[in-house]
Amino acid sequence: MFSLIHLLLLAVSAQASLLTLQSPRFSVSDPTGTQIRSEPVSLVQKSSTPVNLTANNVLKLTFQVVDKETGKGVQPHQTFLRFYDEQSGEEGIQPVRVTPGGKAKFELNLARPPLSLPPTTDAPLKVSLIIGSSQYSPLSAELFDLILPLSHPAPVHPDEASFHVLPEIKHTFRPEQKLPPRVISAFFAGLVVAPWAVLLGLWSQISPRAPHLFSPSILPFVLSLGAFEGLLFWYWVDLKLGQVLLYGTILGVFTIFTGKQALASIGNRRLNRK
Amino acid sequence: MLSFRRIFLLIAAVTSAVSAKSSTGDSVLVVVEPSRQNDYSIFFNGLKEKGYELTFRAPKEEKPVIIQDDVPSFAHVILFASETKNFAKDITPQSLVELLSLKTNLIIALSTKQTPLSSLAAEFSIVLPPPGTPLVSYFPERSEPPSVIPIAPDSSSSILSKDIHPVWFSGVPMSLGNNPLLFPILRAPAESFAAEVDGGSADALVDSAEKGGEGLWAGSQLSVVTGFQALGGARVTWVGGVELFSDEYAKKEVSKSVESGNKKFASDIATWTFQETLVLRIDRTEHHLVNATSPKEHYTTGDEVEFAAYISKFNPKTGKWDPCACRKDIQLDFTMLDPHVRTALPPVPGAPGKYGTAFRVPDRHGVFKFVIDYKRKGWTHLHSSTTVPVVPPRHDGYPRFLSAAWPYYAGAISTSVAFLLFSALWLAGDVREMKKSKGKSE
């Protein structure tokens, strides 16, 4: 993004003098002082292998800022090291102390990390050097990639999560009721119905008779009793309470008359006989 | 004289071809020093062409008042008086915050001087550098002083149009706090930093960094134009320097024969802040059982329920609300104190503006709410809550006629049949005389 502007404006830039670095080096040393890795830094090309810094090692960066033509040391206004994590977008700017003679030294000790270090993730940090001065052309170069141990993530506002997609929540329902096998239910239903077999068997021996069943005084009452049983079955299957009470009341009034008629006729029959 | 100009502008606005309307009103109050008013003529004329009614006022003038008897007098307020330390009685940080809660949008410009507006910025979790330290950058190399910086806007921002040329800026950077209602519209370039106006020294920069806290102001985490969407819906844009809107920067070239993007950028900021773009609303919501069309008074646990929301977006060109299937990440919560179900509410293909989903009502009974609570940076917040009772099943709502109950059905039915048979036999039968009636002969 900024390189586009850089290229566009380089054509119209003033003829300012150039700065360069003299003997830029970085080194990684362990706590005892032995150097694990020490390399010169190139301004035109990034170091190919990333610098891996574990908890006890120390990274040192030394260079001297000089005027390209005269070779004299210069103290620029802005000498920054920029640590940038491309994945998370976190950035840290660390100014480097430069003496009036141009000598600069920067030390990164993870035991006392500088406040400007951004929170680190798995991705390497891009380290670049930014030098700006009012008398010289500005200088910016990517130095190397830095891999640091994982740190805590940056603190987040408690409401921040509601500005993004929240995890889905599914409700766990009660499991469906499990029924016993139908064979068992059929068997026990058969057990319940078994006494009918006994009854029907015994009746076949006696051969009971109902001679007055179809006389006009008995039959309506029997039918209305049957209608009540039918209403009961209908209530079980389909009806609501209000409906069944209504139908039951109507049927009940009817049954009162038929019942009176039936029982009176039976009573008369018995008395007459007697 | 003022009224003549206003009448002329009204006629011009009505007959102009290009007009973008705001969804909340067209009256704008501009608080600016009268001597600087003509410096921003390109920006103001752009607003007038779109159809806004501008009223100008000096910071110390008593009238027109921005808020009277708790009613805001204007729909939008622009505060360009970035260096004024004393405002009139009605412009105070408290009255500006009250305006926001009454849905008035603001554009506020800051400067390196300490003004009442800088203390207001702190209320929005915006931290400003110490007074007298503007943003400077030596990159890219240019003939302008280091405090005048070209910044290329982020092309992925939903507020700015695509392909805006780099924008000239001079002013203060802002450090943003954690507040999720705040978001950067234009970030400072990575090589920029805040330094004293007269130059400052390298040692001062290093010392400020070692001091800790907000010591060093540098890098792309700083923001130069910040947007804030209040919970009530009002929008505020904080601009680090009022020169961004000036004619001088709008006409300045950012490179050989490439115009600066200031005019377009300023117009985009005004478009967003004045509620023209990225404005949504929920027209209505509906809920019903999956195969029905009208809502039920209450639902039963375990029902399959369908919920739909109709969302439309404001179209500034026509001034109307068009149905929009633009947001793909809306979610629906079915909550009773805590969300029991949270599902995505995707746009329904074939019905633009309709977002629908179906799910099963949880096993708990109680009073639930369908809640849409959609907040994204830059977009209007959408809130909707529909209360619906959920009852357990009625006595005949449970599964019936189960195979496990066969023995009980058999028993009850055989009892009924036995009663009928017995009654019939008793009523219809005769007492049979015994052939040998020994007991009776006595």
Side-chain angles (χ1 to χ4, degrees):
Chain A
M1 181 188 81
F2 79 93
S3 56
L4 174 67
I5 310 172
H6 199 167
L7 289 170
L8 283 174
L9 290 183
L10 213 47
V12 284
S13 65
Q15 282 286 13
S17 347
L18 293 174
L19 285 173
T20 184
L21 298 185
Q22 193 174 57
S23 53
R25 285 191 81 80
F26 76 90
S27 66
V28 180
S29 37
D30 63 357
T32 60
T34 47
Q35 285 198 338
I36 302 177
R37 183 175 164 183
S38 169
E39 274 174 38
V41 169
S42 157
L43 285 180
V44 292
Q45 201 189 15
K46 193 173 89 165
S47 172
S48 46
T49 51
V51 178
N52 206 326
L53 205 65
T54 52
N56 296 326
N57 298 348
V58 175
L59 170 70
K60 285 203 187 81
L61 179 64
T62 57
F63 53 88
Q64 187 185 19
V65 185
V66 295
D67 188 325
K68 199 159 190 179
E69 281 138 42
T70 64
K72 253 182 35 170
V74 170
Q75 185 194 41
H77 184 199
Q78 171 191 27
T79 316
F80 288 167
L81 269 181
R82 175 182 185 238
F83 302 95
Y84 180 56
D85 183 339
E86 254 186 347
Q87 260 182 21
S88 62
E90 298 277 348
E91 190 192 72
I93 304 274
Q94 171 70 35
V96 178
R97 195 177 283 281
V98 180
T99 65
K103 288 202 166 61
K105 194 170 83 159
F106 171 71
E107 197 175 295
L108 177 60
N109 189 344
L110 284 171
R112 278 186 305 124
L115 291 164
S116 59
L117 213 54
T120 43
T121 57
D122 292 337
L125 288 174
K126 287 191 184 326
V127 180
S128 27
L129 182 65
I130 302 173
I131 296 182
S133 167
S134 41
Q135 289 107 17
Y136 295 92
S137 297
L139 175 67
S140 158
E142 221 180 296
L143 301 180
F144 45 80
D145 281 346
L146 185 63
I147 300 179
L148 294 175
L150 282 179
S151 72
H152 288 302
V156 169
H157 193 273
D159 285 339
E160 179 71 37
S162 62
F163 282 73
H164 303 273
V165 174
L166 290 165
E168 295 217 345
I169 300 178
K170 286 202 186 323
H171 181 83
T172 45
F173 289 87
R174 263 193 303 269
E176 289 279 332
Q177 266 190 333
K178 271 201 308 217
L179 296 170
R182 292 171 153 223
V183 177
I184 297 185
S185 307
F187 171 69
F188 281 97
L191 272 187
V192 167
V193 177
W196 277 103
V198 175
L199 176 67
L200 290 175
L202 291 175
W203 267 355
S204 64
Q205 303 299 322
I206 307 177
S207 58
R209 257 176 274 126
H212 296 292
L213 183 59
F214 291 104
S215 76
S217 49
I218 305 285
L219 189 61
F221 184 48
V222 174
L223 286 181
S224 35
L225 286 178
F228 261 110
E229 296 300 327
L231 182 67
L232 180 66
F233 185 84
W234 194 17
Y235 179 33
W236 173 51
V237 174
D238 195 24
L239 287 182
K240 304 271 186 272
L241 183 64
Q243 291 164 308
V244 79
L245 287 179
L246 179 68
Y247 301 155
T249 314
I250 299 171
L251 201 55
V253 170
F254 180 65
T255 310
I256 289 174
F257 291 113
T258 54
K260 192 166 182 307
Q261 185 188 354
L263 292 174
S265 80
I266 293 175
N268 282 341
R269 200 168 3 103
R270 292 215 179 121
L271 287 174
N272 287 344
R273 290 256 172 98
K274 278 279 194 296
Chain B
M1 194 192 83
L2 192 66
S3 57
F4 260 83
R5 187 159 63 143
R6 201 183 289 184
I7 292 172
F8 173 72
L9 285 168
L10 275 175
I11 297 172
V14 164
T15 57
S16 73
V18 174
S19 82
K21 293 190 185 46
S22 156
S23 59
T24 51
D26 289 338
S27 55
V28 184
L29 174 70
V30 183
V31 178
V32 66
E33 295 283 356
S35 51
R36 312 274 327 267
Q37 188 176 324
N38 291 326
D39 291 344
Y40 312 110
S41 58
I42 295 183
F43 175 57
F44 293 143
N45 290 337
L47 286 181
K48 286 177 194 160
E49 271 169 36
K50 281 200 230 164
Y52 287 102
E53 233 181 72
L54 297 185
T55 312
F56 293 90
R57 173 187 163 180
K60 292 213 177 60
E61 260 175 35
E62 297 289 321
K63 285 203 287 225
V65 190
I66 56 173
I67 183 168
Q68 194 155 27
D69 300 326
D70 289 340
V71 172
S73 322
F74 296 90
H76 317 284
V77 178
I78 299 180
L79 289 157
F80 274 175
S82 54
E83 308 202 338
T84 316
K85 290 196 205 267
N86 295 317
F87 284 92
K89 261 201 318 269
D90 63 319
I91 302 182
T92 60
Q94 290 83 359
S95 67
L96 290 175
V97 170
E98 196 185 338
L99 271 187
L100 280 183
S101 62
L102 293 170
K103 306 219 181 179
T104 307
N105 308 306
L106 305 175
I107 296 182
I108 305 183
L110 299 165
S111 72
T112 54
K113 297 208 171 67
Q114 177 94 348
T115 64
L117 296 176
S118 341
S119 48
L120 178 62
E123 301 291 327
F124 287 77
S125 311
I126 293 176
V127 189
L128 293 175
T133 53
L135 189 71
V136 301
S137 173
Y138 292 110
F139 294 77
E141 193 169 359
R142 57 195 182 278
S143 51
E144 288 85 10
S147 55
V148 177
I149 310 170
I151 308 180
D154 186 9
S155 56
S156 64
S157 163
S158 46
I159 295 175
L160 305 171
S161 3
K162 308 256 176 280
D163 308 326
I164 298 189
H165 295 155
V167 164
W168 288 107
F169 172 79
S170 89
V172 291
M174 295 177 262
S175 173
L176 304 183
N178 242 346
N179 196 334
L181 298 168
L182 204 59
F183 59 96
I185 298 178
L186 185 64
R187 286 185 190 268
E191 311 87 11
S192 59
F193 60 101
E196 284 95 19
V197 179
D198 53 359
S201 66
D203 288 327
L205 283 176
V206 181
D207 289 336
S208 69
E210 282 172 11
K211 216 167 44 177
E214 295 290 349
L216 176 67
W217 295 78
S220 64
Q221 299 287 53
L222 297 174
S223 160
V224 145
V225 177
T226 318
F228 182 92
Q229 171 127 28
L231 289 174
R235 294 177 173 174
V236 191
T237 305
W238 293 88
V239 185
V242 74
E243 304 299 325
L244 188 72
F245 297 94
S246 65
D247 295 350
E248 184 198 330
Y249 283 16
K251 293 188 223 156
K252 210 171 162 82
E253 277 185 357
V254 93
S255 68
K256 242 328 186 285
S257 66
V258 173
E259 224 184 26
S260 76
N262 281 64
K263 181 169 171 211
K264 193 91 190 32
F265 185 80
S267 161
D268 283 344
I269 290 183
T271 320
W272 180 77
T273 312
F274 294 165
Q275 309 262 7
E276 285 182 41
T277 52
L278 273 66
V279 180
L280 300 169
R281 73 170 182 200
I282 300 183
D283 290 324
R284 62 188 163 101
T285 58
E286 60 184 24
H287 56 87
H288 50 79
L289 287 176
V290 169
N291 289 327
T293 44
S294 55
K296 270 176 74 170
E297 276 288 321
H298 48 75
Y299 292 103
T300 315
T301 63
D303 272 352
E304 295 279 350
V305 172
E306 221 176 81
F307 179 86
Y310 294 85
I311 294 179
S312 47
K313 184 173 159 183
F314 184 74
N315 184 344
K317 296 205 180 29
T318 60
K320 299 218 184 333
W321 295 83
D322 299 331
C324 105
C326 33
R327 306 313 295 156
K328 310 267 186 296
D329 53 352
I330 304 184
Q331 285 181 310
L332 172 72
D333 280 359
F334 194 59
T335 75
M336 172 167 68
L337 304 177
D338 278 327
H340 281 62
V341 176
R342 183 182 290 140
T343 55
L345 198 64
V348 171
K354 180 174 176 190
Y355 295 75
T357 184
F359 61 93
R360 206 166 150 216
V361 173
D363 263 339
R364 305 248 172 296
H365 55 270
V367 177
F368 279 85
K369 290 189 287 195
F370 291 102
V371 172
I372 294 182
D373 183 22
Y374 181 69
K375 297 185 284 210
R376 296 288 181 269
K377 303 194 187 198
W379 292 84
T380 323
H381 299 161
L382 292 175
H383 297 292
S384 146
S385 166
T386 316
T387 311
V388 69
V390 169
V391 295
R394 302 193 62 177
H395 70 285
D396 49 2
Y398 289 98
R400 303 181 77 188
F401 313 118
L402 305 169
S403 70
W406 285 346
Y408 304 96
Y409 301 152
I413 291 175
S414 61
T415 306
S416 288
V417 172
F419 168 71
L420 263 183
L421 270 182
F422 175 77
S423 324
L425 281 174
W426 187 82
L427 288 168
D430 259 335
V431 177
R432 264 193 290 197
E433 294 286 337
M434 299 293 284
K435 288 225 172 102
K436 298 177 196 169
S437 50
K438 272 189 192 157
K440 286 222 166 142
S441 58
E442 300 276 343

